[in-house]
Amino acid sequence: MASILKDFSRLCLHTMTTRPWGIETCILNYHAAGIHGITLWRNVLENKNLSRVRTLLDDHGMHVVSLCRGGFFPSTDAAKRQKALDDNYVAIEQAVAVGAPLIVLVCGSEKDQSLEKSREQILEGIVRLYPLAEKAGVKLAIEPLHPMYAGDRSAVNTIRQANAMAETIHAGSVGVALDVYHVWWDPDLESEIKRCAAQGHLFAFHVCDWKVPTTDFLNDRGLMGEGCINIPLIREWVESNGFNGFIEVEIFSEAYWAEDQHRYVEKIKDAYLTKT
Ligand code: ZN
Protein backbone atom coordinates (compact mmCIF):
# COMPACT_ATOMS: atom_id res chain seq x y z
CA MET A 1 0.00 0.00 0.00
CA ALA A 2 1.28 3.40 -0.95
CA SER A 3 0.02 4.88 2.28
CA ILE A 4 2.51 3.02 4.46
CA LEU A 5 4.78 5.68 5.83
CA LYS A 6 8.30 4.54 6.57
CA ASP A 7 8.90 6.89 9.42
CA PHE A 8 12.19 6.43 11.25
CA SER A 9 12.16 9.83 12.94
CA ARG A 10 11.91 8.27 16.41
CA LEU A 11 14.21 5.33 15.80
CA CYS A 12 17.46 5.32 17.75
CA LEU A 13 20.23 2.75 17.64
CA HIS A 14 22.62 1.99 20.46
CA THR A 15 26.14 1.78 19.13
CA MET A 16 26.42 -1.51 21.03
CA THR A 17 23.70 -2.92 18.76
CA THR A 18 26.16 -2.73 15.86
CA ARG A 19 29.19 -3.57 17.99
CA PRO A 20 31.57 -4.35 15.11
CA TRP A 21 31.33 -0.71 13.99
CA GLY A 22 33.38 2.08 15.54
CA ILE A 23 31.87 5.46 16.25
CA GLU A 24 32.65 7.02 12.89
CA THR A 25 31.24 4.01 11.03
CA CYS A 26 28.10 4.06 13.17
CA ILE A 27 27.48 7.73 12.44
CA LEU A 28 28.05 7.42 8.68
CA ASN A 29 26.05 4.23 8.29
CA TYR A 30 23.13 5.17 10.53
CA HIS A 31 22.87 8.43 8.66
CA ALA A 32 22.97 6.63 5.31
CA ALA A 33 20.23 4.30 6.56
CA GLY A 34 18.00 7.23 7.48
CA ILE A 35 18.43 6.77 11.23
CA HIS A 36 19.27 9.89 13.19
CA GLY A 37 18.87 8.85 16.82
CA ILE A 38 22.01 7.44 18.44
CA THR A 39 22.87 6.30 21.94
CA LEU A 40 26.60 6.21 22.48
CA TRP A 41 28.23 3.48 24.48
CA ARG A 42 31.37 4.68 26.15
CA ASN A 43 33.55 1.96 24.63
CA VAL A 44 33.28 3.63 21.21
CA LEU A 45 34.52 6.91 22.68
CA GLU A 46 37.71 5.48 24.15
CA ASN A 47 40.79 7.31 22.85
CA LYS A 48 38.65 9.52 20.64
CA ASN A 49 38.77 13.26 20.26
CA LEU A 50 35.29 14.00 21.56
CA SER A 51 34.95 17.40 19.94
CA ARG A 52 35.70 15.76 16.61
CA VAL A 53 33.08 13.10 17.35
CA ARG A 54 30.60 15.82 18.16
CA THR A 55 31.33 17.63 14.91
CA LEU A 56 30.80 14.42 12.97
CA LEU A 57 27.51 13.84 14.82
CA ASP A 58 26.36 17.38 14.10
CA ASP A 59 27.44 17.27 10.47
CA HIS A 60 25.25 14.21 9.95
CA GLY A 61 22.24 15.55 11.80
CA MET A 62 22.55 12.92 14.51
CA HIS A 63 20.50 13.35 17.65
CA VAL A 64 22.37 11.94 20.64
CA VAL A 65 19.75 10.35 22.86
CA SER A 66 21.93 9.15 25.70
CA LEU A 67 25.30 7.96 26.90
CA CYS A 68 25.63 4.39 28.18
CA ARG A 69 26.58 3.91 30.81
CA GLY A 70 27.30 5.13 34.30
CA GLY A 71 26.59 3.44 37.60
CA PHE A 72 28.20 0.39 39.21
CA PHE A 73 28.08 2.12 42.57
CA PRO A 74 28.14 -0.71 45.16
CA SER A 75 31.24 -2.27 46.65
CA THR A 76 32.31 -3.52 50.04
CA ASP A 77 35.42 -1.40 49.53
CA ALA A 78 35.02 2.36 50.08
CA ALA A 79 37.94 3.13 47.77
CA LYS A 80 36.25 1.20 44.97
CA ARG A 81 33.01 3.07 45.56
CA GLN A 82 34.90 6.34 45.23
CA LYS A 83 36.58 5.08 42.08
CA ALA A 84 33.18 4.23 40.62
CA LEU A 85 31.93 7.68 41.47
CA ASP A 86 34.97 9.24 39.83
CA ASP A 87 34.23 7.25 36.70
CA ASN A 88 30.69 8.61 36.74
CA TYR A 89 32.10 12.13 36.89
CA VAL A 90 34.09 11.31 33.76
CA ALA A 91 30.87 10.06 32.15
CA ILE A 92 29.26 13.44 32.83
CA GLU A 93 32.18 15.20 31.14
CA GLN A 94 31.90 12.85 28.16
CA ALA A 95 28.14 13.40 27.95
CA VAL A 96 28.66 17.16 27.86
CA ALA A 97 31.40 16.80 25.24
CA VAL A 98 29.28 14.76 22.83
CA GLY A 99 26.00 16.54 23.57
CA ALA A 100 24.26 13.64 25.33
CA PRO A 101 21.41 14.94 27.52
CA LEU A 102 21.11 11.72 29.51
CA ILE A 103 23.32 9.09 31.14
CA VAL A 104 21.85 5.63 31.62
CA LEU A 105 22.80 4.07 34.95
CA VAL A 106 23.45 0.36 35.26
CA CYS A 107 23.50 0.59 39.01
CA GLY A 108 25.70 -2.37 39.98
CA SER A 109 25.55 -5.05 42.65
CA GLU A 110 28.11 -6.51 45.04
CA LYS A 111 27.92 -10.24 45.60
CA ASP A 112 29.64 -10.05 48.99
CA GLN A 113 26.90 -8.01 50.62
CA SER A 114 23.10 -7.99 50.73
CA LEU A 115 21.01 -6.52 47.94
CA GLU A 116 19.65 -4.04 50.49
CA LYS A 117 23.16 -2.83 51.24
CA SER A 118 23.92 -2.54 47.53
CA ARG A 119 20.74 -0.52 47.06
CA GLU A 120 21.75 1.81 49.88
CA GLN A 121 25.07 2.40 48.16
CA ILE A 122 23.37 2.95 44.81
CA LEU A 123 21.12 5.56 46.35
CA GLU A 124 24.08 7.21 48.05
CA GLY A 125 26.04 7.19 44.79
CA ILE A 126 23.25 8.82 42.78
CA VAL A 127 22.66 11.40 45.51
CA ARG A 128 26.32 12.38 45.30
CA LEU A 129 26.30 12.36 41.51
CA TYR A 130 23.18 14.17 40.44
CA PRO A 131 24.02 17.71 41.61
CA LEU A 132 27.05 17.65 39.30
CA ALA A 133 25.05 16.15 36.48
CA GLU A 134 22.38 18.78 36.98
CA LYS A 135 24.95 21.54 36.89
CA ALA A 136 26.24 20.13 33.61
CA GLY A 137 22.71 19.95 32.20
CA VAL A 138 22.74 16.14 32.09
CA LYS A 139 20.00 13.86 33.37
CA LEU A 140 20.45 10.43 34.94
CA ALA A 141 18.22 7.42 34.28
CA ILE A 142 18.10 4.44 36.60
CA GLU A 143 17.66 1.36 34.42
CA PRO A 144 16.13 -1.58 36.30
CA LEU A 145 17.78 -4.80 35.15
CA HIS A 146 16.21 -8.24 34.96
CA PRO A 147 16.59 -10.15 38.26
CA MET A 148 19.02 -12.58 36.59
CA TYR A 149 21.57 -9.76 36.92
CA ALA A 150 20.92 -9.10 40.62
CA GLY A 151 24.17 -10.81 41.60
CA ASP A 152 26.52 -8.69 39.54
CA ARG A 153 25.08 -5.97 37.33
CA SER A 154 22.25 -4.37 39.26
CA ALA A 155 20.47 -4.60 42.58
CA VAL A 156 17.66 -2.53 41.08
CA ASN A 157 15.55 -5.15 39.35
CA THR A 158 12.03 -3.83 38.97
CA ILE A 159 10.52 -0.63 37.69
CA ARG A 160 8.85 -0.33 41.10
CA GLN A 161 12.28 -0.19 42.78
CA ALA A 162 13.55 2.29 40.21
CA ASN A 163 10.46 4.46 40.62
CA ALA A 164 10.82 4.41 44.40
CA MET A 165 14.46 5.38 44.18
CA ALA A 166 13.79 8.25 41.78
CA GLU A 167 10.97 9.46 44.02
CA THR A 168 13.19 9.30 47.11
CA ILE A 169 15.90 11.34 45.38
CA HIS A 170 13.20 13.70 44.12
CA ALA A 171 15.28 15.68 41.66
CA GLY A 172 14.08 16.69 38.22
CA SER A 173 17.29 15.29 36.78
CA VAL A 174 16.90 11.71 38.04
CA GLY A 175 14.45 9.34 36.38
CA VAL A 176 14.10 5.89 34.87
CA ALA A 177 15.16 4.12 31.66
CA LEU A 178 12.68 1.42 30.75
CA ASP A 179 14.03 -1.53 28.80
CA VAL A 180 11.47 -4.12 27.74
CA TYR A 181 14.07 -6.89 28.02
CA HIS A 182 14.37 -6.30 31.75
CA VAL A 183 10.79 -5.59 32.75
CA TRP A 184 8.47 -7.44 30.35
CA TRP A 185 7.66 -10.20 32.86
CA ASP A 186 6.59 -7.84 35.65
CA PRO A 187 2.88 -8.14 36.60
CA ASP A 188 2.99 -4.54 37.85
CA LEU A 189 4.46 -3.17 34.65
CA GLU A 190 1.46 -1.23 33.38
CA SER A 191 0.70 0.46 36.70
CA GLU A 192 4.37 1.22 37.36
CA ILE A 193 4.76 2.79 33.91
CA LYS A 194 1.81 5.00 34.73
CA ARG A 195 3.38 5.93 38.08
CA CYS A 196 6.75 6.60 36.45
CA ALA A 197 5.28 8.85 33.78
CA ALA A 198 3.02 10.68 36.23
CA GLN A 199 6.11 11.66 38.21
CA GLY A 200 7.84 12.87 35.05
CA HIS A 201 10.43 10.14 35.48
CA LEU A 202 10.12 8.20 32.23
CA PHE A 203 13.31 9.31 30.49
CA ALA A 204 14.08 6.52 28.02
CA PHE A 205 12.58 3.48 26.30
CA HIS A 206 14.76 0.58 25.09
CA VAL A 207 13.56 -2.32 22.94
CA CYS A 208 14.72 -5.77 21.87
CA ASP A 209 13.16 -9.18 22.43
CA TRP A 210 13.45 -12.14 24.83
CA LYS A 211 14.28 -15.27 22.87
CA VAL A 212 12.94 -18.64 23.98
CA PRO A 213 15.15 -20.34 24.83
CA THR A 214 17.72 -17.71 25.66
CA THR A 215 21.13 -19.32 25.34
CA ASP A 216 23.25 -16.59 26.91
CA PHE A 217 22.34 -14.27 29.79
CA LEU A 218 23.93 -11.26 28.16
CA ASN A 219 24.52 -11.62 24.46
CA ASP A 220 21.55 -13.55 23.07
CA ARG A 221 18.95 -10.82 22.82
CA GLY A 222 16.51 -10.91 19.94
CA LEU A 223 15.32 -8.53 17.31
CA MET A 224 11.87 -7.15 17.99
CA GLY A 225 9.31 -9.82 17.08
CA GLU A 226 11.69 -12.75 17.54
CA GLY A 227 10.79 -13.50 21.11
CA CYS A 228 7.97 -13.47 23.62
CA ILE A 229 7.77 -9.80 24.63
CA ASN A 230 4.62 -7.97 23.61
CA ILE A 231 6.55 -4.88 22.58
CA PRO A 232 3.67 -3.04 20.87
CA LEU A 233 1.61 -3.35 24.05
CA ILE A 234 4.38 -2.02 26.28
CA ARG A 235 5.00 0.77 23.78
CA GLU A 236 1.31 1.61 23.91
CA TRP A 237 1.44 1.83 27.72
CA VAL A 238 4.50 4.05 27.53
CA GLU A 239 3.07 6.35 24.87
CA SER A 240 -0.45 6.55 26.26
CA ASN A 241 1.20 7.92 29.40
CA GLY A 242 2.83 10.69 27.42
CA PHE A 243 6.21 9.34 26.33
CA ASN A 244 7.08 10.60 22.86
CA GLY A 245 10.85 10.24 22.87
CA PHE A 246 13.06 7.95 20.84
CA ILE A 247 12.49 4.20 20.61
CA GLU A 248 15.99 2.90 21.27
CA VAL A 249 17.02 -0.41 19.78
CA GLU A 250 19.53 -2.01 22.11
CA ILE A 251 20.42 -5.57 21.15
CA PHE A 252 23.37 -7.53 22.49
CA SER A 253 23.71 -10.52 20.19
CA GLU A 254 26.76 -12.52 19.22
CA ALA A 255 24.70 -13.95 16.35
CA TYR A 256 23.78 -10.55 14.90
CA TRP A 257 27.23 -9.10 15.52
CA ALA A 258 28.57 -11.90 13.29
CA GLU A 259 26.28 -10.84 10.41
CA ASP A 260 26.79 -8.20 7.79
CA GLN A 261 25.90 -5.10 9.82
CA HIS A 262 24.34 -3.22 6.88
CA ARG A 263 21.86 -6.05 6.32
CA TYR A 264 21.27 -6.24 10.04
CA VAL A 265 20.38 -2.53 10.19
CA GLU A 266 17.83 -3.10 7.44
CA LYS A 267 16.33 -5.95 9.50
CA ILE A 268 16.17 -3.64 12.51
CA LYS A 269 14.36 -1.01 10.44
CA ASP A 270 11.85 -3.58 9.24
CA ALA A 271 11.28 -4.95 12.77
CA TYR A 272 10.91 -1.40 14.04
CA LEU A 273 8.14 -0.68 11.52
CA THR A 274 6.30 -3.97 11.80
CA LYS A 275 6.98 -5.49 15.25
CA THR A 276 7.54 -2.60 17.62
ZN1 ZN B 1 18.66 -0.91 28.10
Side-chain angles (χ1 to χ4, degrees):
M1 281 198 305
S3 63
I4 292 175
L5 184 65
K6 292 195 171 181
D7 182 356
F8 298 110
S9 60
R10 289 178 59 207
L11 173 58
C12 165
L13 294 194
H14 281 226
T15 55
M16 192 58 92
T17 297
T18 54
R19 194 178 70 174
W21 286 347
I23 181 61
E24 295 87 356
T25 316
C26 284
I27 294 169
L28 297 178
N29 290 339
Y30 294 0
H31 170 77
I35 299 167
H36 291 93
I38 186 168
T39 280
L40 303 168
W41 277 67
R42 292 174 69 196
N43 67 308
V44 299
L45 301 179
E46 273 169 30
N47 305 316
K48 293 289 174 186
N49 177 324
L50 297 188
S51 71
R52 212 173 290 162
V53 170
R54 181 159 193 176
T55 301
L56 196 62
L57 287 161
D58 290 346
D59 287 351
H60 290 81
M62 300 304 290
H63 185 106
V64 179
V65 178
S66 48
L67 181 72
C68 280
R69 59 196 185 204
F72 287 96
F73 300 106
S75 173
T76 51
D77 180 344
K80 283 188 183 161
R81 292 201 297 279
Q82 183 59 49
K83 203 170 163 221
L85 208 54
D86 291 342
D87 181 61
N88 280 281
Y89 297 146
V90 173
I92 293 173
E93 288 169 9
Q94 291 175 320
V96 170
V98 297
L102 179 70
I103 296 174
V104 176
L105 300 177
V106 171
C107 291
S109 186
E110 164 65 68
K111 68 179 172 53
D112 294 325
Q113 66 188 17
S114 69
L115 288 170
E116 289 76 12
K117 187 71 194 170
S118 285
R119 288 180 198 128
E120 266 174 39
Q121 292 173 350
I122 290 165
L123 183 64
E124 190 190 318
I126 298 173
V127 165
R128 288 180 63 187
L129 189 62
Y130 87 80
L132 271 123
E134 226 163 56
K135 216 171 152 189
V138 174
K139 291 185 173 186
L140 304 173
I142 301 164
E143 179 171 26
L145 258 51
H146 190 281
M148 70 180 171
Y149 300 119
D152 54 0
R153 307 179 90 81
S154 185
V156 179
N157 307 107
T158 63
I159 178 174
R160 182 191 294 269
Q161 288 172 329
N163 280 341
M165 199 171 276
E167 287 165 19
T168 300
I169 296 166
H170 196 62
S173 59
V174 180
V176 176
L178 191 74
D179 186 326
V180 299
Y181 188 76
H182 299 298
V183 299
W184 67 277
W185 55 273
D186 189 335
D188 298 324
L189 185 55
E190 185 180 8
S191 59
E192 290 295 325
I193 285 173
K194 192 181 281 287
R195 168 184 172 185
C196 187
Q199 296 290 326
H201 286 158
L202 190 50
F203 287 179
F205 183 52
H206 301 173
V207 296
C208 70
D209 213 337
W210 185 283
K211 286 165 69 182
V212 182
T214 287
T215 59
D216 184 285
F217 274 12
L218 193 60
N219 295 332
D220 189 35
R221 299 182 190 188
L223 196 56
M224 297 80 76
E226 272 186 338
C228 61
I229 304 178
N230 191 337
I231 302 168
L233 179 65
I234 300 175
R235 178 177 175 178
E236 190 188 307
W237 290 341
V238 162
E239 293 184 344
S240 66
N241 282 288
F243 181 85
N244 59 7
F246 279 86
I247 312 288
E248 302 179 47
V249 177
E250 180 191 24
I251 302 172
F252 303 170
S253 166
E254 295 291 353
Y256 281 122
W257 290 330
E259 282 193 12
D260 175 88
Q261 297 297 285
H262 291 282
R263 284 187 52 202
Y264 176 36
V265 168
E266 291 307 313
K267 284 184 190 173
I268 291 171
K269 287 165 67 179
D270 185 58
Y272 172 76
L273 288 178
T274 60
K275 311 280 181 167
T276 304

